[in-house]
Amino acid sequence: MAECEPAKKALRIVVAQICQNIGWHAVQGSPLDILVDVLQRYLTEIAKTAKSYSIQYNRTQPNLDDLGLTFKEFGVNLQDLEEYINNVEPVTPPYKIAEFPVKNPPKLNIPNPECRELQTRPEHIPRHLPLMYPDLEEDAF
């Protein structure tokens, strides 16, 4: 799995909040990074296993049945999980976490249709081509 910096930061916050929720008052950086790596690998394995169950049952997207089979395979007791959810208060993140997947602006170098050069460009030059004089345009892209 490729490293995703926003996901790693979000997991770091989640692990720190879990540690705080179970009564820890402080945690050093190295143990926190180890816990983040363990959680990341665990979630990755859960996702891979749920995906394999969905493929086995001829579906393209995993559903809750696949997740239930995955939890059973990993030894997760659903009653214990439900009890934890009902009895432990959720902790809100200290700041807004970016939505996933993170959307990056396209880097296609396609000019803005309202720039001056495109307005005066001859018809035989396609509009999707880059500008000939981009330094003359102020917000061309």
Side-chain angles (χ1 to χ4, degrees):
M1 183 173 111
E3 284 295 317
C4 179
E5 195 60 35
K8 199 78 155 177
K9 286 181 182 178
L11 280 179
R12 191 172 170 89
I13 292 170
V14 167
V15 169
Q17 288 181 325
I18 290 171
C19 292
Q20 181 183 14
N21 209 7
I22 63 172
W24 292 12
H25 297 291
V27 64
Q28 297 294 322
S30 296
L32 181 62
D33 290 337
I34 291 171
L35 290 173
V36 168
D37 287 341
V38 168
L39 179 62
Q40 181 180 9
R41 290 179 187 181
Y42 189 71
L43 290 175
T44 302
E45 286 302 312
I46 286 176
K48 285 180 183 178
T49 307
K51 180 67 176 177
S52 69
Y53 276 119
S54 71
I55 290 171
Q56 181 178 354
Y57 291 109
N58 202 22
R59 290 190 301 270
T60 56
Q61 295 287 325
N63 60 20
L64 290 177
D65 294 331
D66 302 323
L67 190 60
L69 290 170
T70 302
F71 282 165
K72 188 174 184 179
E73 183 178 323
F74 278 64
V76 175
N77 188 342
L78 293 178
Q79 285 77 25
D80 291 345
L81 188 60
E82 183 179 2
E83 182 181 331
Y84 177 83
I85 290 171
N86 289 332
N87 293 326
V88 176
E89 299 236 358
V91 180
T92 57
Y95 56 88
K96 188 175 184 317
I97 296 175
E99 292 184 22
F100 289 96
V102 177
K103 296 176 183 163
N104 294 324
K107 298 177 182 165
L108 299 176
N109 204 16
I110 297 174
N112 184 352
E114 297 160 0
C115 70
R116 284 179 277 154
E117 185 177 325
L118 282 183
Q119 303 300 328
T120 60
R121 183 180 275 188
E123 288 183 27
H124 68 278
I125 301 175
R127 299 182 76 69
H128 68 274
L129 291 177
L131 300 176
M132 303 242 337
Y133 308 104
D135 297 337
L136 299 177
E137 294 291 334
E138 288 180 18
D139 203 347
F141 300 99

